[in-house]
Amino acid sequence: MASRQPLRLAAFALAFSALAGTGFAEESGTTQADKPQTDKSQIDRPLGVVELFTSQGCNSCPPADAFFAELAAKDNVVALAYHVNYWDYLGWQDTLSNKDNTDRQYDYMRAFGTRSVYTPQAVINGRSHVNGASRREVDGALARMEKSGEGMRVSIKVSRTSDRVMIDTGDAGSGPSDAHVVIVYFEPPQTVTIAKGENTGRSMTYWNAVTGIQTAGMWHGKAQRYELPMTEIAKKGGCAVLLQSVGRDGLPGPILGAAFIHKP
């Protein structure tokens, strides 16, 4: 389903307070619980990032939502669902939508040089978009980008203590060396029964529905550490980090690295 509804260009992300450094010194007398605990599943680079733009009010979206649930269950894919609000006028207000999600899709539209947005749209690694309901197109794009060097080329390791989360980014190697460290918050899986609109009577389980996007800092191609308060992470359903290049026009570009900080 396509839309040409104009929306104002919004800022790519909100400011987020974070500490940056190059190392972590363990204090004397630190308890075992306070020592950094590395989540081993976060060390390796994932296959890629799939950002699905979807809506509960779009009758083309249920097949994409079902396929997305499979992607969200994988450990080697960072899958994020952005519920948009421009189909709410059809009779059902998407319970998981927000304007920031819609603004992000319009920013991608401008970055890709296209003239409209649509659902279900899957943006792969911030580089291209395909039909989010097509397993062949999504899997094919992930495989092609991994083979061509357009996959996750910067490693990200996540570790934590009782009061903080540490995000360690690797070196750039060749290619772009400036990026934003973007924190994406999302909901745990939840089932919604749709009472009106094009999907009346359907009951769907939605995974990794994005609730907020914030920028934690800048990365300049060198290994660096960013620290986030555990209290901020713990109160969210789930959380991922994207190392995403941003153009001078403020539009989102290729995603160079990604990891889950907390996956419910």
Side-chain angles (χ1 to χ4, degrees):
M1 181 179 288
S3 171
R4 297 177 182 271
Q5 176 184 357
L7 289 177
R8 67 178 181 82
L9 176 62
F12 171 61
L14 301 173
F16 189 79
S17 59
L19 303 175
T22 57
F24 178 80
E26 184 177 325
E27 298 179 3
S28 59
T30 300
T31 65
Q32 183 66 32
D34 290 328
K35 294 180 180 179
Q37 303 295 315
T38 299
D39 185 340
K40 299 299 183 182
S41 66
Q42 309 299 354
I43 296 177
D44 295 332
R45 300 174 192 175
L47 175 63
V49 176
V50 177
E51 297 176 276
L52 176 68
F53 293 91
T54 185
S55 172
Q56 295 170 6
C58 164
N59 62 8
S60 302
C61 287
D65 297 323
F67 172 45
F68 180 84
E70 298 179 32
L71 293 173
K74 295 178 179 292
D75 290 330
N76 68 337
V77 174
V78 175
L80 302 166
Y82 299 81
H83 286 246
V84 298
N85 60 9
Y86 50 77
W87 296 126
D88 289 355
Y89 78 92
L90 294 176
W92 175 256
Q93 184 172 344
D94 191 312
T95 61
L96 298 170
S97 69
N98 64 66
K99 185 177 180 299
D100 288 341
N101 290 348
T102 303
D103 288 342
R104 183 164 174 83
Q105 188 180 26
Y106 270 81
D107 283 347
Y108 270 130
M109 179 196 75
R110 296 180 179 94
F112 295 146
T114 55
R115 301 181 62 182
S116 64
V117 295
Y118 63 94
T119 54
Q121 179 188 40
V123 174
I124 312 298
N125 296 348
R127 296 178 180 271
S128 68
H129 63 98
V130 299
N131 180 355
S134 173
R135 184 187 303 269
R136 178 183 59 82
E137 292 185 29
V138 173
D139 289 346
L142 286 168
R144 285 194 305 274
M145 290 184 191
E146 181 186 36
K147 186 176 181 179
S148 67
E150 295 181 321
M152 303 294 99
R153 61 182 185 81
V154 179
S155 62
I156 296 179
K157 181 177 73 172
V158 175
S159 56
R160 66 200 69 194
T161 66
S162 60
D163 65 347
R164 72 192 72 185
V165 171
M166 285 77 73
I167 301 169
D168 289 290
T169 58
D171 289 322
S174 60
S177 58
D178 284 327
H180 288 191
V181 180
V182 180
I183 309 300
V184 183
Y185 299 106
F186 56 87
E187 295 277 10
Q190 55 184 285
T191 300
V192 176
T193 299
I194 301 171
K196 297 179 181 178
E198 293 189 343
N199 291 318
T200 299
R202 283 184 177 269
S203 184
M204 298 288 299
T205 299
Y206 295 102
W207 290 72
N208 299 5
V210 172
T211 58
I213 311 168
Q214 299 175 321
T215 299
M218 288 289 296
W219 174 82
H220 299 293
K222 300 297 182 182
Q224 189 168 342
R225 169 166 289 184
Y226 305 84
E227 296 185 4
L228 306 178
M230 178 61 79
T231 53
E232 189 70 18
I233 301 301
K235 65 185 180 183
K236 307 295 183 180
C239 188
V241 57
L242 308 179
L243 198 62
Q244 184 163 32
S245 60
V246 177
R248 292 183 179 179
D249 52 8
L251 298 179
I255 297 173
L256 310 178
F260 284 112
I261 298 175
H262 172 58
K263 184 176 180 181

